[in-house]
Amino acid sequence: MDPIRVAIVGCGRISDLHQLGYRNRNDARIVAVCDTNKRRASTKAREWGVDKVYTSYQQILEDNEIDLVELLTPHHLHCPMTVQAAQAHKHISVQKPMALSAHEADQMINAAE
């Protein structure tokens, strides 16, 4: 079985904890990082041994070598980023709170279905 290829989106402090969940796994591995701050993304990529560094979420969605996006972004971005990822046929892991309203949660669920 090929491992799930993961992109960490948002390289703030919490990303260090999330990347630990992918370490030494045979079924998933981090293949890309994305942050609007290129320096921060490059630092995390170097620390985690990741080759691909993006500053644009659109680039992540267009990369066919990425199966799953791990969204570690501000809460107000969860809904639009989840909907875009679903439309790009990516698997999605989004952190709590999932959405800022029931309406946003419904949009996210509908996009994923």
Side-chain angles (χ1 to χ4, degrees):
M1 176 177 87
D2 291 330
I4 297 168
R5 300 164 298 183
V6 178
I8 298 286
V9 181
C11 294
R13 289 183 297 153
I14 197 70
S15 66
D16 287 316
L17 293 175
H18 283 267
Q19 68 86 24
L20 291 173
Y22 294 101
R23 273 196 172 165
N24 303 318
R25 298 203 55 97
N26 295 324
D27 58 351
R29 65 184 170 90
I30 301 170
V31 298
V33 297
C34 179
D35 197 283
T36 55
N37 181 321
K38 185 170 185 166
R39 185 176 182 184
R40 181 177 19 212
S42 296
T43 297
K44 297 298 182 182
R46 188 173 47 257
E47 289 174 3
W48 303 340
V50 174
D51 294 327
K52 293 182 179 185
V53 177
Y54 295 110
T55 57
S56 163
Y57 185 57
Q58 190 59 40
Q59 292 171 305
I60 291 286
L61 299 179
E62 292 171 358
D63 187 334
N64 292 327
E65 295 181 4
I66 294 171
D67 303 312
L68 179 142
V69 293
E70 177 85 37
L71 298 178
L72 306 176
T73 57
H75 304 149
H76 71 279
L77 297 175
H78 289 180
C79 180
M81 293 179 100
T82 296
V83 170
Q84 290 173 325
Q87 290 169 344
H89 306 286
K90 304 290 186 195
H91 297 283
I92 305 150
S93 173
V94 63
Q95 301 311 304
K96 64 183 182 183
M98 173 182 168
L100 298 180
S101 68
H103 176 70
E104 281 188 356
D106 288 341
Q107 287 179 298
M108 295 162 76
I109 292 165
N110 289 337
E113 288 177 338

